[in-house]
Amino acid sequence: MPRPALEQRLVQALGEQPLVLLCAPGGCGKTALLARALEQLPAGHGAAWVTLDAGDDLHRLLQCLWQALEPFDLPWRTSPEGLAAMATSRDPGRQRQAAEALVNALEACELAHGVIALDDLHHVDDAEALAFLDHLLLRLGERWTLAVATRQEPALRLARLRAMGLLTELRAADLQFSRDEALALLLPAGLDAGAAEALHCRTLGWPAGLRLALGGARGAGPGSAIDRQAIDFLTSEVLAQLDPALREFLLRTSVLHELDAGRCEALTGDARAWVHLDALERLDLFVTVVGDQPRTLKLHDLFRDALRQQMQTGRRDEWLALQARAAANEGDPVRQQALLLGARRLDEAAASLRQRSLRLMFEGGVHTVVRLAEQFPPDFARTSADVQDVAGYAKWRLWRNAEADQHLQAAEALHRARGDEASARLAALRRATMLAGIGRPDAARLALPAGDADADGAEAQVHARVCATWIALEEGASRAVAPRFEALLRTLEQARQNELWATMVPTPRLTACPAMGPLLARWADAASLAEAESPLLLSALAPMTQGWRALWAGRLDEALRWLRRSERDERWVGYPPIVQSHRLAFTAVLQMALGQREPALAAARAHGDGFPPSYGGRGPWYALFLMGRVAASCGDTALLRDALARLAQVQAGLPEATPLRLQALLGLQGHLAWLEGRPGEAVARWQRTLEHEEACDLFGLAHELRTLLALQRLRARDPAAAAAWLAPMLQQAADGPRGALFALPALRELAAAPWGTRLDTAALATLRAWGLPAGADAAAGSAPAIAAGIAPGPLHELLSARETEVLSLMARGLSNKLIARELDLSPHTVKRHVAHVLDKLDLASRSQAAAWYHAQPQARRSAPA
């Protein structure tokens, strides 16, 4: 029923206020009123509608919001999936960052004004979801409004908005029907004035009460008793008037969130499901059409609650069985688990979560997996092998390693107690791999299960080979790393399971091991294919891995290009901690090699200071060691001293800290002695370090020390000794200079020296190739190529061929979906190309990009011949 005055008030608020709140009990017409108001928005305005349901958390809310915003082609600079990962990270800083990125995308939208409508927010009890909405409201610009319909006041910070006049509220008193509105509804239905007046008084103008009362009056006469409690009335007056077959269909399908013929027939076995759904729609029986393919209905919450209450109180056993059957046909893991827990099928729910968890985490839902694991009753979770397994693996992925260790240890014992040896071995392999990865190879060996992992399936094989690779790396067997990593690659390629590629990410120190170059390229290419349509961390780490490969080979200009791409990709995937950590390490070493002292030191400090403490083990030690290496190379004595002091503190608490594993530290102490003017001590420490050359070769330290010792002997007029120091590393020409980049000025001085016959032709050519200032001028290209719409060179020098195609289609006004169809790409890939175009051209919106393109001369738009 139209309510012009109320609708106009709401339309005005939706165009002016940051927040519009419709807060009233069920049946007050909040949804209908909001929907009618949105239909009346002026031209150029738009709305994104999200209906929430019981159990929805922040991850689900955002997934629905991204779908609702899809028609507006927001110029995302961080992918929606990346924003969801940031928002659900439980890190307040990253949550604020996600809210800011979302607001920036909204503000760059082409709409004159937009509305985000969240219906039934009372279903959301996730504190993180409400906190994120607070962050969003705090930053929302004038061109967007958040409209919330809820049965209870949300736990949002409303006081500030009220005080500043930035909140419009409609409560139950505003929504109730006036006497005149009630009569306008009831009199045309055949009620006389007296009965209509009586109904208005008895319902107090409650919209659903009037609607229900009208139905009751038609079915049982105006003298029918009307219970003001909606559920009681629905049960006694509405359900009682229905055809028995339709009533039974409704009762049994009330377990479902949404109703379509296929799902209802699978649940009930009733081949006439489509007939019942058609009848519901024709009767307008408190249903809303929410989809067309297939035709999908959703019951009003009040009506569904009434149906469920009747089933739960009168047919409890059947209700439990229906929930279990519904779960069997539910594709959404969150809803499926809610159904199984409601059906008291805890073991089945735990097994299903374990089966789905690997894929969920690969798709960016690691926080969702942790939350699902936490939904089980604590007593059950402690004794469930599946829950412990899932919780351990997910927390490992979040670098919460101490917790992961406990969960995986428990999972192994519980799997074994129930006779599932294969699952027990897999849990043990996961734990052993984690322990090896945090610098505890001895503990990893003890955790490794007996038997042949190859007999236990692809995942077990992968973990066994990852564990072997980590153990070699941690024990300083740097020459053994590449063969073991190659065996891992073969296993991953044969397994053909994309989600397993996330099991092993090449760390910065692994990339510096001998003979790793071709293997890094192989891993990066395969990982990129595994996540070709996914904006997750592998898609950011793959180009960075290519960058490490180019860097250690001495191709600094190429490495810089990979760094720029990895920075864009890091933003696109939402700045995951592991990507940030790797990128800071990469930036520090590359900028150091390029002679960019301050950027190198800033990145090294950030890497050393920001390594997550929850990682535990030797992770922070390695970060501080790299900080010290960069500080020494850049001549920052104070930072090197700080690194050594903090290394000593961390080292005191390290397990398995044998002298051999700490061998590399001697080299760093030698650097400090050199910078402090004690060259004799420095040389002695460097030589002692190289007594165990393979063990000390952390981040290519051996090559750096050989370079420094060679230069020291050359300056002492002993070129034969200098050549002897250089010869072993020059024989490994295929690997490139590797750690010698930390001593690049010394390497260049050596390359320019006259060697006579002390170095053979091949060795001398290698030395001079390494000593060339390759990429020394590349740092000048670090500033954005575009400024104020002015760019040098043809367009193909700024954008890739595909990005140029996407830009030209944007300039023609095509949406992401139409561009995807035109170029035979996925919509996700188009979004990523749009983000790259805007980043490279330093533009904020699609309209700016289109204007920029049309402003370019035709010759600049053309691709090279």
Side-chain angles (χ1 to χ4, degrees), residues 278-314:
D278 185 59
L280 287 175
E281 193 173 349
R282 282 188 291 100
L283 290 171
D284 190 22
L285 198 58
F286 307 104
V287 296
T288 303
V289 177
V290 295
D292 280 326
Q293 294 182 348
R295 191 71 166 176
T296 305
L297 308 181
K298 183 173 182 177
L299 298 176
H300 189 286
D301 280 358
L302 281 174
F303 195 28
R304 190 174 63 183
D305 289 348
L307 293 163
R308 289 181 170 185
Q309 185 183 73
Q310 187 165 343
M311 289 294 292
Q312 290 168 355
T313 55

Side-chain angles (χ1 to χ4, degrees), residues 347-391:
D347 287 318
E348 192 174 335
S352 177
L353 177 59
R354 182 175 170 228
Q355 181 184 7
R356 291 179 175 227
S357 61
L358 198 62
R359 187 69 197 180
L360 269 174
M361 287 187 279
F362 179 72
E363 294 172 348
V366 62
H367 292 283
T368 297
V369 170
V370 171
R371 189 168 188 269
L372 289 172
E374 291 171 348
Q375 289 178 356
F376 289 86
D379 289 342
F380 173 82
R382 278 192 295 271
T383 59
S384 168
D386 291 332
V387 173
Q388 293 296 319
D389 214 334
V390 168

Side-chain angles (χ1 to χ4, degrees), residues 508-728:
R509 56 197 168 93
L510 183 142
T511 65
C513 289
M516 281 296 297
L519 302 178
L520 294 176
R522 189 167 146 194
W523 180 89
D525 290 342
S528 297
L529 289 174
E531 277 196 336
E533 300 302 331
S534 176
L536 306 182
L537 59 87
L538 286 187
S539 60
L541 290 170
M544 204 180 313
T545 300
Q546 295 278 27
W548 280 114
R549 179 195 179 210
L551 171 60
W552 297 129
R555 301 192 300 274
L556 304 188
D557 47 356
E558 179 187 340
L560 185 63
R561 290 196 296 272
W562 284 116
L563 174 61
R564 297 302 171 228
R565 174 172 168 181
S566 67
E567 288 171 338
R568 292 194 301 271
D569 290 339
E570 179 185 3
R571 176 180 180 176
W572 179 249
V573 301
Y575 306 99
I578 185 174
V579 178
Q580 280 189 305
S581 180
H582 285 213
R583 194 259 308 159
L584 286 170
F586 183 37
T587 301
V589 179
L590 176 56
Q591 296 290 16
M592 173 208 72
L594 290 168
Q596 301 296 307
R597 183 177 187 275
E598 294 308 318
L601 291 172
R605 283 192 195 95
H607 182 57
D609 294 343
F611 203 90
S614 63
Y615 189 89
R618 284 170 64 93
W621 193 93
Y622 291 126
L624 291 170
F625 180 83
L626 183 62
M627 183 175 83
R629 290 278 298 282
V630 173
S633 179
C634 293
D636 191 326
T637 307
L639 185 59
L640 176 55
R641 285 198 198 99
D642 179 51
L644 284 166
R646 291 168 64 184
L647 281 165
Q649 292 175 347
V650 173
Q651 188 173 311
L654 283 181
E656 306 180 26
T658 63
L660 189 61
R661 296 186 65 201
L662 299 175
Q663 185 76 8
L665 196 58
L666 283 172
L668 207 56
Q669 292 165 345
H671 290 348
L672 181 61
W674 183 271
L675 291 175
E676 290 181 339
R678 305 189 306 276
E681 179 186 342
V683 169
R685 287 185 178 274
W686 293 340
Q687 290 176 341
R688 281 179 55 201
T689 304
L690 287 173
E691 289 174 4
H692 300 281
E693 184 163 349
E694 186 178 9
C696 83
D697 198 23
L698 180 58
F699 296 107
L701 179 62
H703 275 24
E704 180 189 6
L705 298 186
R706 286 188 169 279
T707 302
L708 293 172
L709 288 167
L711 182 63
Q712 186 268 341
R713 296 316 304 155
L714 185 68
R715 288 177 175 177
R717 300 176 184 269
D718 188 355
W725 282 114
L726 289 174

Side-chain angles (χ1 to χ4, degrees), residues 773-799:
D777 299 329
S782 60
I786 306 299
I790 302 172
L795 192 57
H796 71 265
E797 294 181 0
L798 306 172
L799 306 175

Side-chain angles (χ1 to χ4, degrees), residues 444-482:
R445 279 198 175 89
L446 290 174
L448 282 171
D452 183 6
D454 290 353
D456 290 332
E459 187 181 354
Q461 295 171 31
V462 167
H463 278 294
R465 284 158 180 73
V466 172
C467 187
T469 304
W470 283 129
I471 288 175
L473 187 63
E474 290 297 333
E475 293 185 336
S478 58
R479 295 188 185 93
V481 170

Side-chain angles (χ1 to χ4, degrees), residues 205-230:
W206 178 43
L210 289 168
R211 174 71 175 80
L212 295 169
L214 181 59
R218 286 172 174 162
S224 297
I226 300 173
D227 192 329
R228 287 174 55 192
Q229 298 297 316

Side-chain angles (χ1 to χ4, degrees), residues 27-266:
C28 285
K30 302 180 293 297
T31 300
L33 178 64
L34 182 57
R36 285 184 60 84
L38 292 175
E39 291 171 356
Q40 299 172 48
L41 292 176
H45 290 223
W49 183 283
V50 175
T51 299
L52 298 160
D53 216 327
D56 284 353
D57 58 5
L58 177 55
H59 192 263
R60 171 63 64 83
L61 186 157
L62 293 176
Q63 285 180 319
C64 296
L65 179 58
W66 307 151
Q67 292 177 6
L69 290 169
E70 189 71 26
F72 305 121
D73 280 336
L74 268 63
W76 301 105
R77 312 304 280 276
T78 298
S79 70
E81 297 85 351
L83 287 180
M86 293 168 67
T88 57
S89 66
R90 298 188 180 180
D91 179 339
R94 297 191 73 219
Q95 290 170 345
R96 288 191 292 270
Q97 197 176 8
E100 289 169 0
L102 173 56
V103 167
N104 290 340
L106 292 171
E107 289 300 313
C109 180
E110 308 298 332
L111 288 174
H113 191 90
V115 177
I116 295 173
L118 303 180
D119 191 27
D120 291 340
L121 185 63
H122 55 272
H123 282 310
V124 177
D125 58 3
D126 179 16
E128 291 181 5
L130 298 173
F132 182 78
L133 293 179
D134 266 331
H135 290 313
L136 185 64
L137 281 169
L138 191 64
R139 295 161 175 80
L140 207 56
E142 295 181 355
R143 294 178 52 234
W144 281 84
T145 295
L146 180 65
V148 171
T150 176
R151 293 188 192 178
Q152 58 199 34
E153 183 154 321
L156 299 173
R157 298 173 184 173
L158 303 178
R160 180 186 64 86
L161 296 172
R162 284 194 185 105
M164 298 175 67
L166 301 177
L167 167 63
T168 293
E169 298 178 80
L170 296 178
R171 302 278 178 168
D174 302 295
L175 298 176
Q176 68 186 23
F177 272 47
S178 67
R179 172 184 175 277
D180 290 342
E181 286 178 318
L183 294 179
L185 173 70
L186 298 172
L187 292 179
L191 272 70
D192 59 42
E197 292 267 12
L199 286 177
H200 178 253
C201 292
R202 293 168 71 180
T203 60
L204 299 178
W206 178 43
L210 289 168
R211 174 71 175 80
L212 295 169
L214 181 59
R218 286 172 174 162
S224 297
I226 300 173
D227 192 329
R228 287 174 55 192
Q229 298 297 316
I231 290 180
D232 289 347
F233 185 88
L234 282 164
T235 301
S236 61
E237 299 293 336
V238 177
L239 287 175
Q241 307 301 320
L242 293 177
D243 174 78
L246 181 57
R247 179 171 63 247
E248 179 65 14
F249 175 81
L250 277 169
L251 287 167
R252 299 184 71 196
T253 56
S254 64
V255 70
L256 300 173
H257 289 269
E258 296 172 347
L259 310 180
D260 64 70
R263 190 176 302 183
C264 292
E265 183 175 348

